[in-house]
């Protein structure tokens, strides 16, 4: 019984460590930024038919820049912040005054 608890603790520790490493190095942050924008686009601009193009981290701004392309070929670059939990949209190119 003690060996089972010890193995369970070790496995749980390894899983948490892997999640922490992925979060700090970027893959989880990129997915979070993309998911945040997907929800935002669906709620506000669904009728425009925007399609995801790419995501990149801008060290100059400290934000993620997520690009979407319209049916007409116009590229819109949205900014999402903060770096470690990108859930706040700081720039909307369609309505920049909001």
């Amino acid at each position: 019984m003690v060996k089972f608890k010890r193995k369970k603790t070790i496995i749980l520790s390894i899983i948490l460590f892997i999640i922490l490493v992925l979060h700090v190095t970027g893959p989880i942050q990129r997915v979070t930024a993309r998911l945040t924008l997907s929800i935002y686009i669906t709620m506000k601009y669904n009728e425009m038919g925007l399609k995801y193009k790419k995501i990149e981290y801008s060290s100059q701004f400290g934000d993620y820049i997520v690009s979407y392309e319209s049916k007409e070929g116009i590229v819109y670059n949205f900014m999402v912040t903060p770096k470690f939990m990108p859930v706040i949209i700081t720039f909307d190119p369609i309505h920049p005054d909001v």
Side-chain angles (χ1 to χ4, degrees):
M1 196 67 156
V2 173
K3 286 186 178 186
F4 178 72
K5 286 184 179 181
R6 189 173 186 170
K7 284 183 181 180
K8 186 177 175 181
T9 304
I10 290 172
I11 291 172
L12 184 60
S13 298
I14 291 171
I15 291 171
L16 289 174
F17 178 75
I18 290 171
I19 290 172
L20 180 66
V21 167
L22 289 174
H23 185 72
V24 170
T25 58
I28 291 178
Q29 297 163 346
R30 290 180 183 273
V31 170
T32 304
R34 184 173 175 196
L35 180 63
T36 300
L37 251 305
S38 293
I39 293 168
Y40 182 77
I41 296 289
T42 302
M43 291 175 63
K44 290 195 77 171
Y45 306 116
N46 196 30
E47 71 282 349
M48 290 180 68
L50 298 176
K51 298 293 180 196
Y52 170 78
K53 190 170 180 181
K54 68 177 180 174
I55 185 171
E56 61 186 57
Y57 178 71
S58 172
S59 58
Q60 296 168 338
F61 296 109
D63 296 336
Y64 285 93
I65 298 173
V66 185
S67 301
Y68 278 83
E69 188 171 6
S70 69
K71 295 175 186 175
E72 296 82 25
I74 302 169
V75 177
Y76 298 101
N77 295 312
F78 295 84
M79 292 179 75
V80 186
T81 194
K83 179 182 180 182
F84 290 107
M85 191 56 145
V87 294
I88 301 170
I89 299 157
T90 56
F91 180 71
D92 179 348
I94 300 170
H95 291 10
D97 55 334
V98 177

